[in-house]
Amino acid sequence: MPTLGAIADDFTGATDLATMLVARGYRTVVAVGSDSIADEPGRTAVDDADAVVIALKSRTAPVTEAVDSSLAALRALRAAGCRRFYFKYCSTFDSTAEGNIGPVADALLDAIGERRAVVVPSFPATGRTVYRGRLFVHDELLDESPMRHHPLTPMRDSHVGRLLTPQTTHPVRLVGLDTVRAGAAALASALDDPALADALVVVDATEDEDLRTILAATAHHPLVTGAAGLALGLTGPRPGAARVAAASRPGDPAVVLSGSASSATRAQVAHGRAHLPHRKLDLAALRDGFEATVDGLVAFARACWEHDPRRPPLLYAVGDLSDLDDSPAASALVERSLAACATRLVAAGARRLLVAGGETSGSVITALGVRTLTIGSPIAPGVTWARAQVTARNGDDGPGGDGHTEDGHLVDVALKSGNFGAPDIFTEAWSTLV
């Protein structure tokens, strides 16, 4: 029975955290939505897990929807046996003036019957650190980094307290790095101060050891909130917990589906275009004839497999900023089209999928009918392979489908946050799939 339950506000974040938990000795399952573990008869995929991460698509959802889905996830985790909880959000604190980090944290605290939680977006391994309450992306303040141009959640302030205050009914307080460096006992004492009893407490952290100190100081807290880096401070019951073996074999059909517009992903797309067969999504053509355009993309990918199965085709939405259409309708169209490509390509034989972008990853995994993800080989900090069972049927009989796809394909998927990974990840990730 699992004891640790986590709620992640997007799918890439869920696999990011699960990777950290496996490394820390937790046998971990990622459940796609609350229904994947709730109200199922007999044994479920989480029965033998030490930790369960529920992946939601709530980061950019309306506040009420994000809160409701997070509370449903909490109920499902409690029903599964979890007694300690982790609310996972992005290390760049992606949010809006209204939420959803503050409202979800408030709702979870209320449901658990607690009044205080730490807020720790730091993840030094990926260059995200907090000092004096300000969030840095490598050596740039958040509001001076490429995140200020994010199409869905542009970050125009680096002060975590100022970002969080309009979102929450709790006071927001800061505990500085000097207190963290004084050790776990000193930090625990500071956090237990009555002045912080009803607060969301932003805690500085610039190194991995700071995160370990924070977790040691909050071992008695039923709820912590933060990026995946905070899990460095956890110690699970199974040191050296095994990662699942790949479901696919070298040479099996593979594809890269990139919906992210982040600067890191644009650099990865540029590298991919220099080394892989590629096709950019044509939004105008998709608006005018969605099915025919998706069929064309699928036919292109299948032709690439036949020509050279060692070079996975790259289907991407944004190569440079001139390609960017940041309207909600355009973003939804990108997600829908790449999800349709995924289902048809899996029906046509794809067994390895690398997906870039949190929203795109959520759409692809949902369209494929995946209920759980089991963590496999790591690729880069924050990025991992995972094994998934596809349960969606593809009734299309066009170039990408055969009209009678069987349920139950096992596939390997890597869900990459737009901001993570080296420029060559689209070409090099496959070598880690073992």
Side-chain angles (χ1 to χ4, degrees):
M1 179 179 292
T3 58
L4 176 66
I7 300 165
D9 66 359
D10 78 349
F11 286 56
T12 56
T15 56
D16 178 10
L17 176 57
T19 301
M20 296 290 290
L21 293 174
V22 170
R24 301 304 302 160
Y26 289 86
R27 190 159 51 189
T28 306
V29 171
V30 176
V32 179
S34 305
D35 291 344
S36 295
I37 62 171
D39 300 322
E40 288 191 5
R43 290 182 58 78
T44 71
V46 307
D47 289 339
D48 295 325
D50 306 307
V52 179
V53 182
I54 293 185
L56 302 179
K57 202 168 181 286
S58 60
R59 181 170 299 171
T60 58
V63 171
T64 300
E65 180 182 324
V67 168
D68 289 347
S69 63
S70 299
L71 289 176
L74 177 64
R75 290 191 294 271
L77 290 169
R78 278 177 151 170
C82 300
R83 293 296 175 263
R84 195 180 188 202
F85 304 97
Y86 191 134
F87 171 35
K88 194 276 174 194
Y89 40 76
C90 186
S91 56
T92 48
F93 213 69
D94 290 23
S95 192
T96 66
E98 296 78 23
N100 289 330
I101 295 172
V104 170
D106 287 357
L108 294 175
L109 281 171
D110 186 58
I112 293 169
E114 291 291 316
R115 299 166 55 201
R116 169 204 55 195
V118 293
V119 176
V120 190
S122 296
F123 194 172
T126 60
R128 278 64 165 165
T129 56
V130 176
Y131 179 63
R132 293 188 175 180
R134 288 170 171 80
L135 180 53
F136 288 79
V137 179
H138 298 289
D139 58 354
E140 295 180 307
L141 286 165
L142 177 65
D143 59 322
E144 296 174 2
S145 77
M147 282 301 299
R148 69 188 185 276
H149 299 308
H150 193 284
L152 297 177
T153 53
M155 303 306 294
R156 305 280 166 73
D157 195 348
S158 62
H159 195 283
V160 179
R162 283 198 299 265
L163 291 168
L164 188 57
T165 295
Q167 301 181 17
T168 176
T169 60
H170 290 257
V172 178
R173 301 288 184 257
L174 171 67
V175 171
L177 192 61
D178 55 343
T179 304
V180 176
R181 296 286 169 83
L187 178 57
S189 178
L191 292 171
D192 287 339
D193 189 303
L196 303 183
D198 192 39
L200 292 178
V201 187
V202 180
V203 185
D204 281 354
T206 64
E207 298 178 1
D208 287 350
E209 191 58 35
D210 300 330
L211 299 175
R212 296 186 182 97
T213 299
I214 294 168
L215 254 295
T218 58
H220 59 299
H221 291 202
L223 173 70
V224 295
T225 86
L230 187 58
L232 274 172
L234 293 168
T235 301
R238 306 172 198 272
R243 296 171 182 269
V244 72
S248 61
R249 298 168 298 176
D252 280 351
V255 64
V256 181
L257 304 169
S258 176
S260 173
S262 75
S263 60
T265 300
R266 294 198 307 272
Q268 292 157 1
V269 167
H271 184 274
R273 287 189 302 190
H275 295 86
L276 301 174
H278 54 273
R279 184 71 58 88
K280 179 179 175 293
L281 301 188
D282 185 335
L283 295 188
L286 286 163
R287 291 187 185 101
D288 291 341
F290 182 86
E291 296 296 332
T293 305
V294 169
D295 283 347
L297 292 168
V298 171
F300 165 76
R302 296 184 71 178
C304 293
W305 296 340
E306 293 174 2
H307 177 69
D308 186 353
R310 299 168 299 175
R311 299 171 67 222
L314 163 64
L315 307 181
Y316 69 97
V318 178
D320 54 56
L321 285 177
S322 64
D323 297 331
L324 182 61
D325 182 340
D326 59 2
S327 68
S331 298
L333 185 60
V334 167
E335 293 175 38
R336 181 184 168 213
S337 58
L338 290 177
C341 287
T343 59
R344 298 182 195 188
L345 288 169
V346 169
R351 296 294 177 267
R352 298 177 164 201
L353 291 81
L354 197 167
V355 188
E359 299 298 314
T360 303
S361 294
S363 295
V364 166
I365 292 299
T366 301
L368 290 174
V370 174
R371 294 180 64 83
T372 59
L373 295 163
T374 310
I375 300 304
S377 301
I379 299 171
V383 191
T384 187
W385 286 107
R387 188 168 68 185
Q389 184 167 356
V390 173
T391 60
R393 287 188 180 273
N394 176 16
D396 178 69
D397 58 0
D402 56 15
H404 55 274
T405 302
E406 296 292 333
D407 290 347
H409 290 313
L410 283 175
V411 299
D412 293 304
V413 296
L415 308 180
K416 187 196 81 70
S417 169
N419 298 302
F420 286 178
D424 62 357
I425 194 169
F426 291 167
T427 57
E428 298 303 312
W430 318 99
S431 65
T432 69
L433 188 56
V434 294

